[in-house]
Amino acid sequence: MPEAGRLDGAAVAERLSRLDGLLEQVQGAPGPMTGAAIEAVQALTEVYGEALARVLDGAEGPVLERMAGDELIGHLLVLHGIHPEPPERRAARAVEALRPAVRERGGDIELDGVESGVARVRVTAKGCGTSSAALEDAVREAVLALAPELTGVERAPGDEGRGAPAFVPVESLTVRPAPTGGRS
């Protein structure tokens, strides 16, 4: 639960969505003020970026890690090109966070590297191939959430024949199934 006066994740998402809509309206508005409004938003963004960079200059240790690990602050740090952690490391963290759920279902994933803005992920799995695309989508979503400046996420070259993709429901990557028990 956020502190009093603070926005929770849903409220932040709602405001970001509203902001996107408002910016689209400004960009589509006819008249001479459109350019001035867009320039004002850009100048405000630059000033806030500089303020954030100055805060980052004085941050170290747990404070820096907390800032870099916060989804909203992390996106702002990326937007301004000042994220202290390289995209390769953030992509690796995203893959590592998914690994236990994939391994639990008989597969494995690992980051093979990042080249030209594209993360390459090695996927090994067993089972039905019907949800291979869902697994790849979940990996793509997780990597791009932490490293949004990357342009894509692909299977590592030569990874196509490393076993049939496993059936891993996307929901199972974020929700632990309830234990099954033999109650009579």
Side-chain angles (χ1 to χ4, degrees):
M1 179 167 228
E3 295 178 30
R6 302 287 298 274
L7 302 176
D8 65 11
V12 168
E14 182 274 325
R15 280 164 179 81
L16 288 173
S17 178
R18 192 170 99 220
L19 179 60
D20 283 342
L22 291 170
L23 289 173
E24 285 178 17
Q25 286 179 2
V26 168
Q27 289 175 332
M33 294 308 294
T34 299
I38 291 171
E39 190 175 334
V41 170
Q42 289 171 334
L44 183 62
T45 301
E46 290 171 4
V47 169
Y48 282 169
E50 177 59 26
L52 189 56
R54 290 179 184 192
V55 168
L56 201 60
D57 286 344
E60 56 185 42
V63 173
L64 183 61
E65 289 173 19
R66 183 171 175 211
M67 289 177 66
D70 181 276
E71 186 177 358
L72 178 59
I73 296 172
H75 281 304
L76 288 174
L77 296 173
V78 169
L79 173 71
H80 296 291
I82 57 175
H83 201 292
E85 191 176 33
E88 295 83 2
R89 189 173 308 145
R90 288 181 274 130
R93 275 196 301 118
V95 169
E96 287 301 316
L98 291 175
R99 180 177 271 163
V102 175
R103 280 186 170 169
E104 191 173 285
R105 285 151 186 85
D108 198 7
I109 57 174
E110 66 180 293
L111 182 67
D112 193 51
V114 174
E115 187 177 313
S116 302
V118 177
R120 290 191 170 55
V121 179
R122 191 164 308 282
V123 179
T124 55
K126 300 174 189 164
C128 172
T130 58
S131 73
S132 173
L135 173 60
E136 289 180 26
D137 287 345
V139 171
R140 182 176 297 105
E141 184 178 313
V143 169
L144 294 178
L146 288 184
E149 69 271 45
L150 295 179
T151 58
V153 179
E154 300 174 351
R155 283 186 92 133
D159 192 35
E160 295 77 21
R162 295 191 66 192
F167 176 73
V168 180
V170 173
E171 304 82 38
S172 71
L173 296 174
T174 56
V175 178
R176 266 204 119 62
T180 57
R183 284 194 177 183
S184 305

